[in-house]
């Protein structure tokens, strides 16, 4: 006897869309097809899509910024909001600030997430202090413990790693099977622009968009790809906002580099004109990289459609419009002191379903790839999550493609008082969300308790089938046999 059966729905994976029932037992998918037999409970999914639960792989939850500012969501509100948005797993950041040991950082974040998260979770580390102990003892240990990805920054004075540090980190990542995620922006260009703008009286929030030029992004992406390509280490360029940046990633992939690309809804659905608001209201849309122009929105869409971006994440970085968040440096601080980031963990998938699938820009199968399957493969979770497959966790979101709602901050479940998507009409919403076979969201009801989510240790990164080779100078077959320990 099955514990649960989802019947009469349309199931989609990355290649097929078909009518099937899903049988669930002990939290796992155990049967897919018709005539599955009896179940203790049946959910009728007539007229609905039965899809893998989303995996949100880039979000900042209960995380202090490098200046000590805490995000407005903790692991409870952040995970609840994610679940209402059709997600069953989140991978936020565990941020190392300088002087901290990785073991302490991970202890802290396990302590934050474990008692609160309503859905499963893992962590990416943020590395800001790659000293010898971190590189050669702590990082390999973290990878062995299931943290097989980490983010580094090419900008921000308290986080930045220089090119030599990047090479050290990339070499360790390659050796131990981890993926390095890169915030690629040129620090000097941003500082130069910011100083010029502020000194000339252009400190209002909208000028933030000018202060991070596209060239800052493309220069850094180019450099990151060169450094990683030199070692043949896999990287993922996060939150790409410009066509120039996307094109460098596409070219590098064409040339056989192990490079993945990620973009975010804000670069597809919002633009810098919307920051031209009275007073400080433009601060609500300050994020880095910044919003670009309307043409850029279309270009980012195209790069999502053509596969340049394999990952689509919210980059949920929630700061309220008050002195606990956006305006922590004062009610009329210049843009460099405005907290950076937008909320969006709940809207990531509904926006893509509505504007992507319903409007015919992507197939339902591509939606599934971007919602869950690509992430599960790239980040080492596909042994248990990311697709509707017998043997995997019964993490499932049932979507009603005919449900149309107008987005309103008051309907969101995060700890924010605004959403950048206010007023948008969105068609297609997740109406039932199951995690490991248990219903966590039923319509507008939350049925999960705090702490029901569990930590998902991730496998090392599988680059099988990706082309790439180290630079000739590093190749012992060519370099007179010198071993660089890669
Ligand atoms: N980078 C992020 O990934 N998120 C928010 C701000 C930033 O700089
Ligand atoms: Zn970033
Ligand atoms: Zn981020």
């Amino acid at each position: 006897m099955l514990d649960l059966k989802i019947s009469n729905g349309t199931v989609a994976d990355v290649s097929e869309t078909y009518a099937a029932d899903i049988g669930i037992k002990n939290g796992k998918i155990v049967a897919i097809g018709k005539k599955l037999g009896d179940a203790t409970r049946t959910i009728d999914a007539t007229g609905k899509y039965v899809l893998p639960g989303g995996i949100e792989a880039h979000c900042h939850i209960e995380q202090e910024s490098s200046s000590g500012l805490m995000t407005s969501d903790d692991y409870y509100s952040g995970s609840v909001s994610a679940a209402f948005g059709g997600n069953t797993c989140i991978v936020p950041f565990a941020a190392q600030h300088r002087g901290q040991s990785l073991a302490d950082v991970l202890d802290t974040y396990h302590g934050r997430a474990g008692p609160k998260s309503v859905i499963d979770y893992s962590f990416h580390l943020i590395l800001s202090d790659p000293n010898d102990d971190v590189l050669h003892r702590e990082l390999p240990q973290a990878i062995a413990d299931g943290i097989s990805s980490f983010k580094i920054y090419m900008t921000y004075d308290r986080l930045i790693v220089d090119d030599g540090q990047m090479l050290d980190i990339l070499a360790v990542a390659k050796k131990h099977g981890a993926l390095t995620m890169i915030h690629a922006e040129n620090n000097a260009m941003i500082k130069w622009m910011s100083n010029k703008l502020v000194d000339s009286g252009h400190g209002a929030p909208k000028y933030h968009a000018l202060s991070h030029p596209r060239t800052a992004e493309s220069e850094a992406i180019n450099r990151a790809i060169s450094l990683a390509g030199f070692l043949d280490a896999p990287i993922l360029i996060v939150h790409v906002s410009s066509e120039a940046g996307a094109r460098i990633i596409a070219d590098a992939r064409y040339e056989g580099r192990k490079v993945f690309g990620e973009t975010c809804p804000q670069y597809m659905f919002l633009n810098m004109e919307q920051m031209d608001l009275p007073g400080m209201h433009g601060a609500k849309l300050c994020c880095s990289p910044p919003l670009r122009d309307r043409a850029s929105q279309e270009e980012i869409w195209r790069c999502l459609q053509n596969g340049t971006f394999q990952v689509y994440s919210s980059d949920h970085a929630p700061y309220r419009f008050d002195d606990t968040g956006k305006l922590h440096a004062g009610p009329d601080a210049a843009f460099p002191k405005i907290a950076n980031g937008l909320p969006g963990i709940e809207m990531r998938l509904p926006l893509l379903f509505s504007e992507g699938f319903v409007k015919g820009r992507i197939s339902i199968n591509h939606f599934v790839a971007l919602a869950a399957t690509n992430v599960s493969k790239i980040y080492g979770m596909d042994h248990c999550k990311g697709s509707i497959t017998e043997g995997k966790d019964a993490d499932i979101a049932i979507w009603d493609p005919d449900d149309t709602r107008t987005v309103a901050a008051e309907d969101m479940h995060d700890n924010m008082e605004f959403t950048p998507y206010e007023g948008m009409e969105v068609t297609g919403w997740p109406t039932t969300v199951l995690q490991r076979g248990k219903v966590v969201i039923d319509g507008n009801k939350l049925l999960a308790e705090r702490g029901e989510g569990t930590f998902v240790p991730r496998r090392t990164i599988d680059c099988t089938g990706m082309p790439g080779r180290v630079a000739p100078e590093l190749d012992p077959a060519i370099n007179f046999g010198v071993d660089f320990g890669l």
Side-chain angles (χ1 to χ4, degrees), residues 185-415:
E185 288 190 287
N186 178 299
N187 199 40
M189 288 174 84
I190 294 169
K191 277 192 178 172
W192 191 88
M193 285 293 281
S194 299
N195 290 339
K196 295 262 182 253
L197 284 161
V198 173
D199 291 349
S200 60
H202 300 96
K206 67 182 176 194
Y207 296 111
H208 170 80
L210 305 184
S211 70
H212 290 234
R214 290 163 176 76
T215 312
E217 179 171 76
S218 54
E219 184 283 325
I221 292 178
N222 195 42
R223 186 156 35 103
I225 288 175
S226 300
L227 295 174
F230 174 61
L231 301 177
D232 190 31
I235 55 170
L236 187 149
I237 308 291
V238 293
H239 49 48
V240 178
S241 65
S242 65
E243 192 215 1
R247 212 171 259 275
I248 295 167
I249 294 170
D251 285 349
R253 287 175 64 83
Y254 181 79
E255 285 162 11
R257 306 289 197 193
K258 293 184 174 69
V259 184
F260 299 101
E262 176 202 73
T263 194
C264 311
Q266 47 270 38
Y267 307 118
M268 295 153 63
F269 298 101
L270 304 173
N271 64 69
M272 61 190 267
E273 288 169 29
Q274 295 168 274
M275 299 176 72
D276 193 5
L277 296 172
M280 292 297 281
H281 284 273
K284 293 175 183 167
L285 295 181
C286 282
C287 60
S288 295
L291 306 181
R292 308 292 182 187
D293 57 16
R294 285 171 189 273
S296 196
Q297 288 177 248
E298 289 312 310
E299 287 152 4
I300 295 297
W301 262 109
R302 197 177 68 239
C303 293
L304 192 82
Q305 290 170 300
N306 71 19
T308 301
F309 302 124
Q310 301 74 40
V311 178
Y312 162 80
S313 307
S314 71
D315 196 2
H316 182 72
Y319 298 105
R320 295 171 69 95
F321 187 60
D322 61 25
D323 61 4
T324 68
K326 287 284 178 191
L327 307 180
H328 70 107
D332 39 36
F335 67 80
K337 295 206 173 335
I338 292 171
N340 253 309
L342 306 185
I345 203 164
E346 195 161 338
M347 287 310 305
R348 171 182 84 112
L349 294 178
L351 285 169
L352 187 67
F353 193 99
S354 179
E355 301 304 300
F357 170 55
V358 175
K359 294 213 169 141
R361 283 163 152 151
I362 59 170
S363 67
I364 192 69
N365 314 97
H366 198 175
F367 174 84
V368 168
L370 292 166
T373 312
N374 288 0
V375 166
S376 74
K377 285 185 196 298
I378 290 171
Y379 288 114
M381 309 174 96
D382 57 333
H383 55 292
C384 58
K385 301 205 177 282
S387 64
I388 295 189
T389 305
E390 282 180 31
K392 290 201 184 176
D393 290 353
D395 290 356
I396 293 171
I398 302 176
W399 286 75
D400 181 348
D402 300 316
D403 184 356
T404 298
R405 303 181 202 166
T406 302
V407 178
E410 63 188 15
D411 296 331
M412 298 289 112
H413 298 82
D414 56 12
N415 189 27

Side-chain angles (χ1 to χ4, degrees), residues 85-104:
N87 298 286
T88 50
C89 187
I90 49 176
V91 192
F93 294 95
Q96 179 204 31
H97 297 300
R98 291 192 178 142
Q100 293 182 315
S101 87
L102 298 187
D104 286 351

Side-chain angles (χ1 to χ4, degrees), residues 58 60 93 126 151-156 159 182-185 238-239 262 267 288-289 315:
H58 184 154
H60 303 266
F93 294 95
I126 285 174
K151 181 177 176 188
I152 56 176
Y153 286 80
M154 296 172 78
T155 184
Y156 297 129
L159 295 171
I182 302 185
H183 179 127
E185 288 190 287
V238 293
H239 49 48
E262 176 202 73
Y267 307 118
S288 295
D315 196 2

Side-chain angles (χ1 to χ4, degrees), residues 30-103:
V30 294
I32 303 170
K34 287 290 176 186
K35 304 198 175 99
L36 299 185
D38 291 338
T40 309
R41 180 179 174 199
T42 299
I43 295 175
D44 181 17
T46 301
K48 308 232 171 91
Y49 282 96
V50 180
L51 308 179
I55 304 175
E56 167 61 76
H58 184 154
C59 50
H60 303 266
I61 294 180
E62 209 168 336
Q63 182 199 319
E64 293 97 350
S65 71
S66 54
S67 53
L69 195 65
M70 189 56 134
T71 57
S72 70
D73 279 311
D74 68 3
Y75 271 84
Y76 184 68
S77 59
S79 64
V80 169
S81 186
F84 274 102
N87 298 286
T88 50
C89 187
I90 49 176
V91 192
F93 294 95
Q96 179 204 31
H97 297 300
R98 291 192 178 142
Q100 293 182 315
S101 87
L102 298 187

